Amino acid sequence: MYSFEPTEEQKIIISAARKLALKEFRDRMRDADETGRHHPSWVEAGWELGLLPASIPERYGGFGDHSAMTWVLAAEELAWGDMTAALVLTAPNLVALPILYCGTEEQKTEFLPVYCTDRYAHGSAALMEPHFGFNPYELKTTAHRNNGSYVLTGLKCNVPFAAESEWLLVYASLDGQSQAFLVSKDSPGLSIGEREPNMGINALPLYSVELKECSIPATQRLGGDAGCDFALLHNSSRVALSALAVGVARAAYEYALEYAKQRKAFGEAIAQRQSIAFTLAEMAIEIDAARMLVWEAAWRLDQGRDATKEAQYAMNFTGDMALMVADRAVQILGGYGYVRDHPVELWLRNARGCGVLEGIAIV
Amino acid sequence: MISFENSRAIRQRQDYAETIARERIRPQARYYDEYDHEHELPWDFVNFMWQVARKDLESLHPGKSFPDEPFMLLIHVNEMIAWGDIGFYMCLPWPALGGSAIKATGTEEQKEHLKEKFQADSPTWTSMALTESHCGSDSSAIRTTAVRDGDSWVLNGEKLFVTTAKTSMLDSDGLMVVWATTDPSKRASAIKPFLVDAKNPGVKITKLEKKLGLRASDTAVVILEDCRIPLKNILGGMESTGFKGAMATFDAARPSVAAAGLGVARATLDLLKEHLDLNGIRIRYGVPRNLLTSIERDIIDMEAQLRAAWLLVVRAAWLIDRHRPNTIESSMCKVKAGEVVTKITQKGVELMGPLGYSRRLLFEKWMRDGKIIDVFEGTGQINRLVIARRILGYSSRELK
Ligand SMILES: Cc1cc2nc3c(=O)[nH]c(=O)nc-3n(C[C@H](O)[C@H](O)[C@H](O)COP(=O)(O)OP(=O)(O)OC[C@H]3O[C@@H](n4cnc5c(N)ncnc54)[C@H](O)[C@@H]3O)c2cc1C
């Protein structure tokens, strides 16, 4: 039977995430965007939510079971506060969740407890590559087996916390298949480049990364010799980005709606004109529609069913939707939408990232 | 717990409806669409639905095997029948819009009356007459009058675009819900619904509209001329909620037609994909969008749009079955479905080129049929208005 009712536990998480988003993210996002530095409270207060430890079973140090659905519910709220803050807070997922999904028993035992302490531990993943035609299923970064090791070579971009994280999960093509490798920060051949300059999500430290004949023990291939189900990780990553998109859009929509009720023109609130009111109605419809797709894709992940189509639907739809909603929010604020005193221009910049930045988040 | 698993019982009936759609509807869809056969009723289908399928589908018999989810079942059946053909869907001998009005606002006696009608041996329809020549969206401006005369009401006026007017009044012993004002100086507050039984001599069907699509369905002009009905036939009794009741009716009707519209959209997409398959064109999923071919992009985007719209319908149905407020969600799914079916069916013609435009295939028909979803049961604009007022907290005076 269909149901659109989150569990009691999920409702508690939603409301806690919303509180955090409002209290810690909203007021600080502008500053963070201007300076390119995320606020320490984002990870300190954010970690207290215990989202990641609650996704990891007790035998690895956590206290719960993973649910993509719970993650998307939380992610929407976090991104409603600030998408960058949400990405910062959930970056540890980038290592922890692929290991949880696909890791060997040894990998789980070694890595997961790191993410179950009461302190935020950095995580990082390198999927994107800086060339036209980037395709996660046809990576230019390659991995070769060489006796007891894998040798990785290639160029990566937009790698979150590459400089801060002890371990990077690097995606590379092994015999034509995308696979993931746990690369420690000090591996010879790995070099972390400059901070990436982007249009938005400025406070998330993203780096370029180069791998030159970077050799790692074969045991550090995600999933060991059996490897990992890359499509599963890719789908889960798309669902994560989609959930963030819904959050950003909702923030922009709510702001524009309140503004439109306050702002007067020609003797009445601009919201009293259909052109504005209908625009808001359409924004509301698209946000709800997008959320349904995200939920369905997350639900399929939790059911262990293939979610390739659903994740693609969610990704395409939410990417367009978030951009459309944020763009209209700017339009509704007119000139005020274009200046950095109001947050809508920031949401427009961040929203454009949603359909583009494959692999910077995962649920 | 959030779940996207449809219940087994509904899936079974959906399969059954699919067989009907494939075998009894689709092969005849073209015939009833041609000018020469406009306004012919597909009696074989109608009789079959009345005598056999209705019981099997149990879509409109709440309290039987669907105590929990009658509406959820209804949208799934509607979608599937309309996937077969939406003209046929419009001919279904089911209580439809008029029936929903009675169920939403009727007295116990009136509900019983409706039930009896639908236990008859031969197919029965209800219709609902609100629109007039000078007003459709602005339904509070209607001029049809209801004047009390002793033990009766006397109705006078002209109604336009009444779906199944002819089938409910002339072809069967059905019912028509007629909206009329009891005091033309008062607008909305004086507007009440009245029940008019078939074969009332005061009801005349003067014209069957010739339409862009939905040609199997009769859309008629109805003249009420000293149409006398018993006093008790005011829907909901003397305390009738009137105009508000009409709106409540639409809340439930909107997801229902939205579902049918999405059936047409899916029909288009299914056939489109069949043709692509035959031509060896594969759709790749998982690949970034900027690397897809134009046709892959179109198909995936249409699928995503269709799925999103459908899930909005499902959500509205879920709320209705739980008797939760659903005005905004119902309008949302109606707007989205209207837009999606319009775009998908128009795109279908484009992608198929001359084959899409040809009357040999059904793409062009689906495009003509699909457009109705954005027009009736509240146009796209009117439903946007409903949503906008709610999200902004505006009255109809504050947001016109
Ligand atoms: C096939 C078919 C079946 C139908 N079945 C029935 C039926 O069974 N019973 C029945 O009563 N009616 C029925 N209708 C009528 C239908 O509900 C109306 O046509 C519809 O409500 C629109 O009304 P209208 O045609 O008078 O257009 P109008 O109300 O004149 O609208 C014209 C245009 O103006 C727009 N508009 C109107 N008001 C506003 C506003 N305030 N803000 C912004 N835009 C506005 C509309 O959206 C539309 O685009 C049927 C119509 C068709 C075509």
Side-chain angles (χ1 to χ4, degrees):
Chain A
M1 209 184 264
Y2 279 104
S3 171
F4 300 96
E5 190 91 62
T7 62
E8 289 310 312
E9 197 191 334
Q10 286 169 337
K11 286 182 192 165
I12 292 168
I13 291 170
I14 291 170
S15 101
R18 186 176 306 165
K19 254 187 224 140
L20 175 81
L22 192 62
K23 187 157 162 275
E24 305 290 344
F25 296 179
R26 268 297 164 91
D27 291 345
R28 296 180 168 135
M29 68 184 179
R30 176 57 74 186
D31 229 30
D33 182 74
E34 297 285 332
T35 61
R37 276 196 302 274
H38 62 271
H39 196 276
S41 80
W42 288 359
V43 295
E44 284 161 17
W47 198 251
E48 283 170 21
L49 286 184
L51 290 172
L52 187 50
S55 305
I56 295 173
E58 258 174 61
R59 61 181 181 286
Y60 307 118
F63 55 86
D65 285 311
H66 172 258
S67 154
M69 182 60 78
T70 303
W71 272 109
V72 300
L73 294 171
E76 178 184 331
E77 297 309 320
L78 297 174
W80 169 83
D82 181 44
M83 176 166 155
T84 312
L87 287 167
V88 167
L89 179 58
T90 60
N93 289 16
L94 295 169
V95 172
L97 295 187
I99 289 177
L100 192 62
Y101 273 122
C102 303
T104 61
E105 196 51 39
E106 291 73 32
Q107 288 165 346
K108 288 182 185 171
T109 317
E110 182 183 352
F111 288 94
L112 294 180
V114 176
Y115 296 103
C116 296
T117 73
D118 50 15
R119 291 211 32 210
Y120 175 93
H122 287 292
S124 176
L127 176 67
M128 278 176 275
E129 299 177 343
H131 59 82
F132 175 76
F134 162 69
N135 180 347
Y137 290 89
E138 290 172 14
L139 295 171
K140 296 215 164 140
T141 301
T142 55
H144 296 289
R145 181 92 192 221
N146 186 0
N147 299 323
S149 355
Y150 285 101
V151 181
L152 309 180
T153 299
L155 210 55
K156 293 288 180 182
C157 65
N158 287 330
V159 186
F161 292 109
E164 291 82 4
S165 189
E166 290 300 313
W167 292 88
L168 281 72
L169 190 66
V170 175
Y171 292 89
S173 175
L174 176 69
D175 304 323
Q177 301 292 318
S178 294
Q179 287 292 300
F181 302 86
L182 286 152
V183 178
S184 106
K185 193 172 156 183
D186 333 299
S187 305
L190 174 80
S191 54
I192 314 289
E194 300 281 295
R195 272 282 291 264
E196 301 271 22
N198 282 311
M199 170 163 67
I201 53 168
N202 288 332
L204 176 71
L206 294 169
Y207 300 87
S208 63
V209 166
E210 192 175 2
L211 300 125
K212 267 194 206 150
E213 306 276 319
C214 174
S215 177
I216 58 162
T219 50
Q220 280 164 223
R221 175 180 174 192
L222 182 65
D225 286 338
C228 69
D229 179 352
F230 175 71
L232 169 66
L233 301 179
H234 182 235
N235 293 340
S236 166
S237 160
R238 289 185 145 191
V239 173
L241 217 50
S242 303
L244 297 173
V246 176
V248 176
R250 212 181 84 215
Y253 156 72
E254 287 175 9
Y255 195 88
L257 183 124
E258 284 313 314
Y259 185 88
K261 288 176 75 172
Q262 305 304 326
R263 179 70 177 175
K264 300 261 188 314
F266 303 97
E268 60 182 6
I270 56 169
Q272 287 177 261
R273 303 291 169 121
Q274 283 192 354
S275 165
I276 300 290
F278 285 13
T279 299
L280 288 163
E282 286 163 10
M283 290 154 80
I285 296 169
E286 294 300 297
I287 291 169
D288 276 20
R291 185 183 296 113
M292 293 291 105
L293 292 180
V294 177
W295 284 11
E296 182 170 45
W299 176 80
R300 284 188 73 92
L301 287 172
D302 284 345
Q303 296 286 306
R305 302 189 202 179
D306 178 51
T308 304
K309 280 189 181 182
E310 288 74 13
Q312 172 121 33
Y313 296 159
M315 175 98 172
N316 289 12
F317 193 105
T318 59
D320 289 351
M321 177 283 294
L323 188 59
M324 178 277 275
V325 169
D327 175 76
R328 288 174 170 204
V330 170
Q331 190 66 26
I332 286 171
L333 266 73
Y336 291 95
Y338 202 76
V339 296
R340 300 217 295 276
D341 294 344
H342 288 278
V344 288
E345 63 78 33
L346 186 151
W347 287 324
L348 177 60
R349 289 184 285 121
N350 287 350
R352 178 64 282 187
C354 295
V356 175
L357 300 170
E358 302 247 22
I360 59 164
I362 191 164
V363 294
Chain B
M1 185 147 96
I2 295 168
S3 168
F4 287 79
E5 190 85 85
N6 201 356
S7 80
R8 225 171 76 96
I10 292 180
R11 278 186 285 132
Q12 280 170 349
R13 278 153 185 84
Q14 208 182 3
D15 289 347
Y16 177 63
E18 182 173 359
T19 311
I20 297 172
R22 265 185 209 290
E23 292 171 8
R24 295 178 182 266
I25 301 178
R26 189 63 76 78
Q28 302 190 67
R30 175 54 73 190
Y31 173 91
Y32 289 96
D33 178 68
E34 293 290 309
Y35 287 155
D36 290 349
H37 305 290
E38 189 164 15
H39 305 138
E40 276 180 35
L41 203 60
W43 277 108
D44 282 356
F45 164 74
V46 164
N47 286 325
F48 173 78
M49 292 307 284
W50 186 263
Q51 276 146 18
V52 184
R54 199 163 59 118
K55 290 179 201 83
D56 294 330
L57 290 167
E58 288 171 317
S59 62
L60 291 157
H61 297 281
K64 279 199 172 170
S65 55
F66 285 92
D68 302 332
E69 296 195 287
F71 207 83
M72 190 65 82
L73 172 64
L74 182 69
I75 59 159
H76 282 86
V77 172
N78 285 356
E79 194 267 357
M80 194 57 88
I81 299 294
W83 177 87
D85 183 66
I86 196 171
F88 277 54
Y89 158 78
M90 296 289 295
C91 296
L92 283 171
W94 284 352
L97 191 53
S100 333
I102 297 168
K103 280 196 277 181
T105 61
T107 62
E108 285 314 310
E109 192 189 342
Q110 289 162 348
K111 287 182 196 168
E112 197 51 41
H113 187 56
L114 177 75
K115 227 164 135 190
E116 278 165 20
K117 294 251 174 197
F118 282 84
Q119 277 160 4
D121 290 337
S122 50
T124 304
W125 287 265
T126 59
S127 50
M128 168 134 146
L130 178 60
T131 306
E132 297 180 4
S133 61
H134 68 287
C135 73
S137 302
D138 183 12
S139 45
S140 67
I142 57 170
R143 292 179 192 147
T144 297
T145 54
V147 176
R148 189 172 167 173
D149 179 23
D151 286 348
S152 331
W153 290 100
V154 179
L155 308 179
N156 274 292
E158 186 194 33
K159 292 289 180 184
L160 221 66
F161 297 148
V162 184
T163 298
T164 59
K166 174 172 162 286
T167 35
S168 65
M169 293 285 102
L170 303 181
D171 297 340
S172 75
D173 187 20
L175 271 173
M176 184 182 286
V177 178
V178 175
W179 295 81
T181 174
T182 51
D183 182 351
S185 68
K186 275 204 199 129
R187 283 186 66 112
S189 66
I191 295 174
K192 306 283 175 197
F194 297 88
L195 291 178
V196 179
D197 283 296
K199 296 172 186 143
N200 185 314
V203 178
K204 292 195 177 59
I205 311 286
T206 55
K207 181 186 175 196
L208 298 180
E209 302 289 352
K210 296 175 181 165
K211 304 191 296 294
L212 174 66
L214 299 187
R215 295 195 185 131
S217 160
D218 71 278
T219 310
V221 176
V222 177
I223 307 266
L224 300 149
E225 214 171 58
D226 292 330
C227 171
R228 192 170 283 273
I229 55 169
L231 205 57
K232 65 175 196 290
N233 276 23
I234 181 167
L235 185 59
M238 296 306 270
E239 302 301 304
S240 166
T241 51
F243 201 65
K244 259 203 199 140
M247 295 305 127
T249 306
F250 283 126
D251 283 355
R254 282 169 180 162
S256 175
V257 298
L262 295 179
V264 179
R266 187 167 62 85
T268 304
L269 209 41
D270 284 353
L271 191 60
L272 209 46
K273 287 197 286 188
E274 257 176 53
H275 280 274
L276 294 182
D277 235 25
L278 285 173
N279 287 282
I281 298 169
R282 258 188 61 245
I283 306 296
R284 295 168 297 164
Y285 295 87
V287 173
R289 226 175 169 195
N290 57 345
L291 303 181
L292 295 171
T293 63
S294 165
I295 204 138
E296 286 175 321
R297 222 182 141 123
D298 282 342
I299 294 285
I300 293 173
D301 283 351
M302 284 192 281
E303 285 179 348
Q305 289 290 336
L306 176 59
R307 191 66 194 163
W310 174 246
L311 291 175
L312 287 181
V313 177
V314 170
R315 180 181 67 164
W318 182 78
L319 289 169
I320 291 170
D321 280 335
R322 279 152 193 80
H323 307 287
R324 298 201 198 165
N326 65 288
T327 304
I328 198 169
E329 290 82 0
S330 289
S331 282
M332 278 186 169
C333 77
K334 169 67 168 54
V335 171
K336 189 70 188 164
E339 205 175 274
V340 163
V341 63
T342 301
K343 282 194 185 144
I344 289 182
T345 53
Q346 291 176 356
K347 193 84 191 167
V349 173
E350 180 213 306
L351 293 181
M352 291 300 293
L355 294 177
Y357 201 69
S358 164
R359 293 217 311 273
R360 292 204 177 83
L361 296 181
L362 289 167
F363 291 102
E364 64 81 32
K365 176 179 187 295
W366 288 329
M367 179 183 134
R368 289 183 286 107
D369 285 343
K371 183 60 206 167
I372 193 59
I373 305 301
D374 213 16
V375 175
F376 66 9
E377 309 273 352
T379 62
Q381 286 83 357
I382 294 304
N383 278 295
R384 280 171 175 80
L385 206 49
V386 171
I387 297 163
R389 282 183 189 143
R390 298 253 165 174
I391 59 179
L392 287 159
Y394 281 164
S395 66
S396 52
R397 204 169 301 119
E398 288 165 305
L399 179 60
K400 290 201 198 70

